[in-house]
Amino acid sequence: MAMAENGTLVIFVPVDYPDIDKKTGRDKNGRLFNIRPPEEYIFLAERLGFSLSHRIESEDSLGRTGVRWCTLLFKNQHTDGTRPIEKIESILRSDRKVNSYKFALLRAMGEIAVTAPNSVNWRENGQVALSMDHVAEKWLEYYWPLVAGDSKVFQGQKIKDKQDITFRKQLEKLSSTWEGARGGFQAFRQALYQNELDPESEELLKDALGKIKAGIRQPVQYAGTEKKVFRGEGSNILIPADLWQEFSLMGKWFEDSILMRWAQFTAELKSNEKKFTVAQCLDLLLQGIGETERDVSYARRVYDTIQALECVWSGTAINPAKGYEVDHAIPYTLWHNNDLWNLLPSDPKVNNQKRDKLPEQKLLAARKSAITGNWQIMYETYRSRFSLEAGRLIGSRTFTGTAADFNNLFHALTESVEITALQRSVPRWTP
């Protein structure tokens, strides 16, 4: 008999029952007992999709000496018997895969959930709506190193005249115009964010994203072995709210698993003329994550021109000629994020103290004026890029540099710092 969603399960078990012989498991009347610790019942119930809501220990109602009982109350939150993390694992482990699309979809969802949590719209029907455009931009980054230059790494079985991935030709054309002297993907992304793409690149990008979005619909439609997990709705992907919460909490934790399985899948493909090792495939998949000087240099160019530059955390004066650091407010090791709002000037000694720690809430509040002041200068220099990156963090398509915009961005930063601290158990810091 199935239990309704949000139904309650009550388990009443003994904690101590001294009359039972530990060797035989029987009491003085010969009755057989199988005494389990309450923790084992909790483990079994939660594996079946229940969530513990209350645990109450009490004395024996009949007054028997040494007898204690434990009442466990569970809520049935997952009617199909699987928790969100298990659904993700099932897609990775059990789903049939003709190409790498499902890996790319889960990787994008996890990354967006962690680094742009406000980018989804919450629905009343227990769903969240994620823009397919946002996922397509992530796919562009993931697949670029797999098709660019001499790295023709197949991502599925090539059947007759059909390509392994439906957007390979379009992405190859786009990447070929940027590889080499033009600087590759990093240079392309900077030009895109600065709204400085040439007409040819704009047209090639439009074609590539159009084909990528069509490709995204495949894993959205087929992810899930027995029951489909996601659903397409126009230009959005509908994701169960509990699953999105799992992405938000665990996205960075299962990213390694996704990348490893994606690399193994690629290395085992027989369609690749050249044999790739798992390590070689991982290097390509991680290529976009690598931090480069170009990423930080855009912020440095701005700070180099500020005469009264000061450390954003300590307020001490900085002489650009003597050197300073460009600090990631949310450490790069946690978010791999080089957005301009995340890059702030810091005294080298202070930056060495902070390293991979997250700033204390009181420190952020005390330095709000310095933080937003740097943002305003950065916005004036790189309006297009700053607006795009800031808009994603606050979950808005429009960022026009008003006082309200910068205030919303500051609140989004502090919120992201707090959530990241809870998710990753990162030490907090203040100078």
Side-chain angles (χ1 to χ4, degrees), residues 79-369:
T79 54
D80 60 356
T82 56
R83 294 180 295 177
I85 190 70
E86 293 169 338
K87 293 178 182 178
I88 297 170
E89 173 63 19
S90 178
I91 294 171
L92 288 173
R93 183 187 65 250
S94 305
D95 269 20
R96 177 174 177 265
K97 300 174 183 68
V98 297
N99 51 43
S100 60
Y101 287 179
K102 290 177 181 177
F103 298 117
L105 180 64
L106 294 179
R107 181 183 177 186
M109 288 179 174
E111 185 175 349
I112 293 169
V114 171
T115 62
N118 298 313
S119 61
V120 295
N121 293 318
W122 291 81
R123 303 286 182 84
E124 294 181 354
N125 60 354
Q127 304 277 326
V128 297
L130 172 63
S131 170
M132 205 170 290
D133 289 336
H134 203 160
V135 176
E137 290 171 14
K138 290 297 180 184
W139 279 34
L140 185 80
E141 177 181 344
Y142 300 158
Y143 282 99
W144 184 296
L146 299 172
V147 306
D150 298 328
S151 303
K152 189 161 186 175
V153 184
F154 278 93
Q155 288 297 286
Q157 299 297 341
K158 185 177 180 182
I159 303 173
K160 295 183 179 179
D161 59 338
K162 292 184 178 180
Q163 290 288 351
D164 57 321
I165 50 178
T166 55
F167 48 87
R168 177 176 286 278
K169 292 180 179 178
Q170 290 75 18
L171 188 51
E172 282 180 344
K173 286 182 180 179
L174 174 61
S175 63
S176 66
T177 65
W178 282 88
E179 290 303 310
R182 293 189 74 180
F185 178 76
Q186 297 291 348
F188 162 79
R189 181 166 58 183
Q190 296 295 347
L192 172 64
Y193 286 5
Q194 281 298 104
N195 199 25
E196 295 174 350
L197 285 181
D198 57 275
E200 179 188 10
S201 294
E202 286 185 351
E203 192 62 30
L204 291 173
L205 175 62
K206 180 181 177 181
D207 291 343
L209 288 177
K211 291 293 287 186
I212 288 174
K213 282 187 281 189
I216 291 171
R217 297 183 185 278
Q218 183 192 95
V220 169
Q221 181 178 355
Y222 294 108
T225 304
E226 298 179 1
K227 184 177 180 181
K228 304 311 174 189
V229 178
F230 311 115
R231 183 161 59 89
E233 182 189 71
S235 60
N236 292 320
I237 302 170
L238 297 185
I239 307 167
D242 60 348
L243 193 60
W244 183 255
Q245 291 170 1
E246 198 71 45
F247 278 121
S248 300
L249 291 170
M250 302 294 292
K252 282 298 178 183
W253 290 102
F254 62 70
E255 180 181 22
D256 292 344
S257 177
I258 294 173
L259 289 171
M260 179 59 71
R261 297 189 192 209
W262 189 345
Q264 290 174 332
F265 172 84
T266 302
E268 293 170 1
L269 281 173
K270 296 180 180 179
S271 54
N272 281 311
E273 296 178 3
K274 176 185 174 182
K275 181 66 176 177
F276 295 97
T277 65
V278 173
Q280 288 172 323
C281 297
L282 268 177
D283 285 342
L284 289 169
L285 292 171
L286 290 169
Q287 197 170 103
I289 293 178
E291 184 178 14
T292 66
E293 178 61 26
R294 181 183 291 111
D295 293 324
V296 181
S297 66
Y298 280 80
R300 187 175 289 277
R301 290 176 196 172
V302 174
Y303 296 136
D304 282 346
T305 65
I306 301 176
Q307 293 183 350
L309 188 66
E310 66 176 40
C311 175
V312 71
W313 304 122
S314 66
T316 56
I318 292 176
N319 185 345
K322 293 184 178 180
Y324 66 94
E325 300 292 338
V326 176
D327 178 52
H328 291 76
I330 299 177
Y332 188 84
T333 54
L334 299 178
W335 270 34
H336 299 302
N337 184 294
N338 283 308
D339 287 356
L340 294 175
W341 58 261
N342 199 36
L343 304 177
L344 297 165
S346 177
D347 179 272
K349 292 182 179 179
V350 174
N351 192 49
N352 188 55
Q353 294 172 4
K354 178 176 179 288
R355 297 180 68 84
D356 294 333
K357 301 182 183 71
L358 286 163
E360 286 277 9
Q361 188 69 255
K362 289 183 179 180
L363 174 62
L364 287 170
R367 302 302 297 166
K368 178 180 179 180
S369 178

Side-chain angles (χ1 to χ4, degrees), residues 352-415:
N352 188 55
Q353 294 172 4
K354 178 176 179 288
R355 297 180 68 84
D356 294 333
K357 301 182 183 71
L358 286 163
E360 286 277 9
Q361 188 69 255
K362 289 183 179 180
L363 174 62
L364 287 170
R367 302 302 297 166
K368 178 180 179 180
S369 178
I371 293 170
T372 57
N374 283 300
W375 285 346
Q376 289 168 349
I377 296 172
M378 197 68 68
Y379 170 75
E380 290 300 325
T381 307
Y382 302 118
R383 287 201 176 200
S384 178
R385 176 181 170 182
F386 193 96
S387 297
L388 175 64
E389 294 172 345
R392 283 183 176 166
L393 186 68
I394 65 177
S396 172
R397 294 185 178 182
T398 58
F399 186 96
T400 58
T402 65
D405 284 337
F406 285 110
N407 194 52
N408 288 337
L409 180 59
F410 180 79
H411 284 302
L413 170 64
T414 55
E415 179 185 61

